[in-house]
Amino acid sequence: MGEVMEYVLWTILASLPVQAPLPLLTWFDVGATTIVLVIAFALLAGMFMFIRIVTDDSDKFKDMKEMVETIFGTPAHLRPNPEQSSAIKEGKGELIHDAAAAKAPFSEPCPACDEIVTERDSVCPSCGLHLL
């Protein structure tokens, strides 16, 4: 009976796992995790600082605001001037007519009937073709 108990005891001891170090407690793993967390917090802080700079009402970061507006919104060269927006709001079409008159004069043949048209013609006088 003693031999059977000894065999059972050795079988139980042999089946127990060998003590292994915990994977997250080695110095390498702790160091790598720390570096990754520092980089993540630095990126997060940078994003918050960028948002604060862009939403600031002062003209301190005017260039950066224009870059962000150009990337995510309407570019500066496509935004209407304050005079244009006020004229459009008031319903005055004079500004639009002035812009058309400011174009360089030209005269070209109509693509449909070869009649000569100028910059003032929005429709061909002879065939009625709408011109751009």
Side-chain angles (χ1 to χ4, degrees):
M1 181 97 161
E3 292 177 7
V4 173
M5 287 297 278
E6 189 177 330
Y7 176 75
V8 170
L9 183 63
W10 281 110
T11 305
I12 291 172
L13 288 176
S15 66
L16 291 176
V18 177
Q19 186 76 15
L22 295 175
L24 293 178
L25 294 180
T26 61
W27 286 109
F28 177 75
D29 293 332
V30 170
T33 304
T34 304
I35 290 171
V36 168
L37 287 176
V38 166
I39 292 172
F41 284 125
L43 287 173
L44 190 65
M47 287 189 301
F48 277 115
M49 193 167 55
F50 181 75
I51 290 171
R52 261 187 88 128
I53 288 172
V54 171
T55 58
D56 190 15
D57 289 336
S58 67
D59 287 337
K60 190 173 182 181
F61 301 102
K62 183 179 175 186
D63 295 335
M64 189 174 293
K65 286 182 193 178
E66 287 180 5
M67 284 191 295
V68 170
E69 181 66 28
T70 302
I71 292 171
F72 296 112
T74 306
H77 67 279
L78 294 179
R79 281 184 241 143
N81 292 337
E83 302 94 29
Q84 288 178 340
S85 61
S86 65
I88 292 171
K89 287 179 184 176
E90 293 173 4
K92 296 180 182 177
E94 299 170 4
L95 188 61
I96 295 170
H97 295 297
D98 292 340
K103 290 182 183 177
F106 67 90
S107 59
E108 296 179 356
C110 173
C113 65
D114 291 332
E115 180 73 26
I116 300 297
V117 292
T118 64
E119 76 278 354
R120 290 183 221 114
D121 298 324
S122 60
V123 177
C124 179
S126 65
C127 67
L129 178 70
H130 289 280
L131 304 170
L132 296 176

